[in-house]
Amino acid sequence: MTVRQLSLPELTEACVLLGVPGVGLWREPVREYGVEAAAKLVRDAGLAVTTLCRGGFFTTAEDLDDNREAVDEAAALGTDTLVLVSGGLPPGGRDLSAARERIAAALAVLAPYAAERGVRLAVEPLHPMYAADRCAVSTLDQALELAAPFPASWVGVVVDTYHVWWDDRAPAAVARAGAEGRIHSFQLADWTTPLPAGVMTGRGQLGEGVIDLRGWYERVAAAGYTGPVEVELFNDALWARDGVEVLEETVRGYVRHVLRPNG
Amino acid sequence: MTVRQLSLPELTEACVLLGVPGVGLWREPVREYGVEAAAKLVRDAGLAVTTLCRGGFFTTAEDLDDNREAVDEAAALGTDTLVLVSGGLPPGGRDLSAARERIAAALAVLAPYAAERGVRLAVEPLHPMYAADRCAVSTLDQALELAAPFPASWVGVVVDTYHVWWDDRAPAAVARAGAEGRIHSFQLADWTTPLPAGVMTGRGQLGEGVIDLRGWYERVAAAGYTGPVEVELFNDALWARDGVEVLEETVRGYVRHVLRPNG
């Protein structure tokens, strides 16, 4: 999604060129390209599919058919992780607790289906500014509570710096998630202001905002996480530029601000 | 601020006309009108000054002189409560904990100064979307932690529905704040989406958003709060309309959605 201006073939080629070993894919471009064809393309390029984004929106979904399809697509792509954005309040709703209960009920149905297909669900807490319209799960604590009834290999959480950086309880939650083996995805984006209208497309390039990205990287590593690190930037300005150039800049930002901030 | 298009004389006249018994004032229009003149105007109209907004921005303030002036102005206006928006990260800063420590240090200086003048400080947690640039205090739990070293009559918190509605820990924090006598202000605004650019001026008119305003009113009352209820809407669309009409609409919204939602 960071470089959504690239087609899947352009993306895989750029990843190989720049030494990026894996890629998180989104359902829409994958379906457009064809799930099997996308799987073959990425596999032939030697890239891992780190996650598939995304299932969820349980609070407004009529049924779980679309989410089962997302699981099937994840399995076909060869990734073990489906990211879930759980959904906000239903139309006319004002009860976040009820929304979270509905999410818990959906997980109880979807998790065994996914587990049978070798896919783990990763509940992503979204920043509280999305609580109403995108995700009633606003903190890692809440995500871990939703995951708790299931084996860690079935349901875990996403730690995305953009969504949790402000939360003074998140460091302890990361440690707990790690100890439980429930960090199923780790994503980076920086926080820049002012936020754009709709607050969807203002995620900052690594190093351009206020988040201590290296600190979060160390925190997640200290919790025992050894999986891939994804960079997920929704950013109008980045999307308007040449995609390969943006990917290159992102790799440089990752090295400079996350991997080797002290040179 | 809800009707900032009204001058202070227009505002006081409209409040009297509509039976609004008190008004929260902001420093800028008060200083422009003259602090003593504003105090006399409101007093002569028989209105209470519920709070003065706002002091704070401790994380970027050179010294506390401006905050001491804010305390003096509150005392001159005859209100017992100065609302504090504590400030976000300093320029180049990435450490929210350090910012909160700086806020704690500023409170230790300002609180006794205010107490001597009969003014309570009210620490307002702002929605986490403001953590970087306006307020490193994002939850009621954090605000209560900052208030804890001081007597409740010196330092308390603001409960503003717009800022805390998403937080599943806020109800317990409200109960604790009430038990400690630390709810120094209760403010209402509704949450509507999409948020506007800059996320400052999109607070919804009562009843037009997703917050269970009546529920929060009951929660604060159950915690023992008997003080004034303020409505604080930053909203470009409301500011563009006739101020008296907006105030009338706000009173109707308050009666309908907060005071008597069941008729």
Side-chain angles (χ1 to χ4, degrees):
Chain A
M1 189 51 73
T2 303
V3 286
R4 70 167 190 188
Q5 62 270 55
L6 297 180
S7 69
L8 280 178
E10 290 169 339
L11 173 65
T12 48
E13 193 191 329
C15 284
V16 169
L17 187 75
L18 293 167
V20 176
V23 61
L25 296 177
W26 278 61
R27 291 184 72 195
E28 294 72 12
V30 164
R31 289 158 69 109
E32 210 170 290
Y33 192 80
V35 179
E36 291 303 334
K40 180 174 180 346
L41 176 78
V42 178
R43 194 171 52 234
D44 288 352
L47 294 176
V49 179
T50 49
T51 60
L52 180 66
C53 278
R54 61 194 198 301
F57 287 90
F58 301 123
T59 55
T60 48
E62 279 287 304
D63 54 46
L64 290 173
D65 289 350
D66 185 59
N67 274 291
R68 288 192 193 90
E69 268 179 58
V71 168
D72 298 343
E73 290 161 17
L77 288 167
T79 180
D80 62 356
T81 305
L82 177 66
V83 171
L84 300 178
V85 172
S86 297
L89 293 168
R94 288 192 163 84
D95 188 341
L96 283 170
S97 302
R100 288 180 202 121
E101 279 167 31
R102 186 155 169 180
I103 294 163
L107 287 175
V109 177
L110 195 63
Y113 180 89
E116 273 173 35
R117 284 149 187 86
V119 175
R120 317 179 295 182
L121 304 179
V123 178
E124 178 161 19
L126 257 54
H127 192 284
M129 68 188 176
Y130 303 115
D133 49 358
R134 304 193 70 74
C135 189
V137 184
S138 302
T139 63
L140 276 172
D141 283 332
Q142 290 171 343
L144 284 170
E145 197 177 316
L146 284 164
F150 309 98
S153 61
W154 288 22
V155 183
V157 302
V158 180
V159 178
D160 183 322
T161 57
Y162 191 79
H163 296 304
V164 307
W165 77 279
W166 59 272
D167 182 3
D168 60 353
R169 301 174 56 86
V174 165
R176 201 164 84 249
E180 293 177 8
R182 290 196 197 266
I183 304 179
H184 287 358
S185 169
F186 177 45
Q187 300 182 333
L188 298 172
D190 217 333
W191 183 273
T192 54
T193 55
L195 294 165
V199 299
M200 279 299 292
T201 55
R203 302 195 193 175
Q205 178 57 280
L206 308 185
E208 293 190 359
V210 300
I211 301 179
D212 175 15
L213 297 172
R214 173 69 187 184
W216 285 97
Y217 177 85
E218 289 176 348
R219 191 167 284 138
V220 167
Y225 184 74
T226 56
V229 182
E230 297 183 327
V231 179
E232 187 187 63
L233 312 178
F234 295 27
N235 186 309
D236 286 320
L238 295 181
W239 289 334
R241 288 169 48 196
D242 176 78
V244 177
E245 188 189 299
V246 169
L247 191 57
E248 225 176 330
E249 175 187 283
T250 304
V251 170
R252 276 201 311 274
Y254 179 67
V255 172
R256 180 163 169 209
H257 298 286
V258 183
L259 271 196
R260 292 199 292 273
N262 303 314
Chain B
M1 189 53 72
T2 303
V3 286
R4 70 167 190 186
Q5 61 270 59
L6 297 180
S7 68
L8 281 177
E10 288 169 340
L11 174 65
T12 49
E13 193 189 330
C15 284
V16 170
L17 187 76
L18 293 167
V20 177
V23 62
L25 296 178
W26 279 61
R27 290 184 73 195
E28 293 73 13
V30 164
R31 289 158 69 109
E32 211 170 290
Y33 192 81
V35 179
E36 290 304 333
K40 182 172 178 350
L41 176 78
V42 177
R43 194 170 54 235
D44 288 354
L47 294 177
V49 178
T50 49
T51 59
L52 179 65
C53 277
R54 62 192 196 299
F57 288 89
F58 301 122
T59 55
T60 48
E62 279 288 304
D63 55 46
L64 290 172
D65 289 352
D66 186 60
N67 274 292
R68 289 192 192 91
E69 269 180 55
V71 168
D72 298 343
E73 290 161 17
L77 288 167
T79 179
D80 61 357
T81 304
L82 176 65
V83 172
L84 300 178
V85 172
S86 297
L89 292 168
R94 287 192 163 85
D95 188 342
L96 282 171
S97 301
R100 287 179 202 123
E101 279 167 31
R102 186 156 170 178
I103 294 164
L107 287 175
V109 177
L110 194 62
Y113 180 90
E116 273 174 32
R117 284 150 187 85
V119 176
R120 317 180 294 183
L121 304 179
V123 178
E124 179 162 19
L126 255 56
H127 192 285
M129 69 188 175
Y130 302 115
D133 50 357
R134 304 194 69 75
C135 190
V137 184
S138 302
T139 65
L140 277 172
D141 283 332
Q142 290 171 343
L144 285 170
E145 197 177 314
L146 285 164
F150 309 98
S153 61
W154 288 24
V155 183
V157 301
V158 180
V159 178
D160 183 322
T161 56
Y162 191 77
H163 296 304
V164 307
W165 76 279
W166 60 272
D167 182 3
D168 60 353
R169 302 174 55 87
V174 164
R176 201 163 86 250
E180 293 177 8
R182 291 198 197 264
I183 305 178
H184 287 357
S185 169
F186 177 45
Q187 299 182 333
L188 298 173
D190 216 334
W191 182 273
T192 54
T193 54
L195 294 165
V199 299
M200 279 300 292
T201 55
R203 302 196 193 175
Q205 179 57 279
L206 308 184
E208 293 190 358
V210 299
I211 301 179
D212 175 16
L213 297 171
R214 173 69 188 183
W216 286 98
Y217 178 85
E218 289 176 348
R219 192 167 284 139
V220 167
Y225 184 74
T226 56
V229 182
E230 296 183 327
V231 179
E232 187 187 63
L233 311 178
F234 294 28
N235 186 308
D236 287 320
L238 295 180
W239 289 334
R241 288 171 46 197
D242 177 79
V244 177
E245 189 189 299
V246 170
L247 190 58
E248 226 176 329
E249 176 188 281
T250 304
V251 170
R252 276 202 311 275
Y254 180 66
V255 171
R256 180 163 169 209
H257 297 286
V258 182
L259 272 195
R260 292 199 291 272
N262 302 313

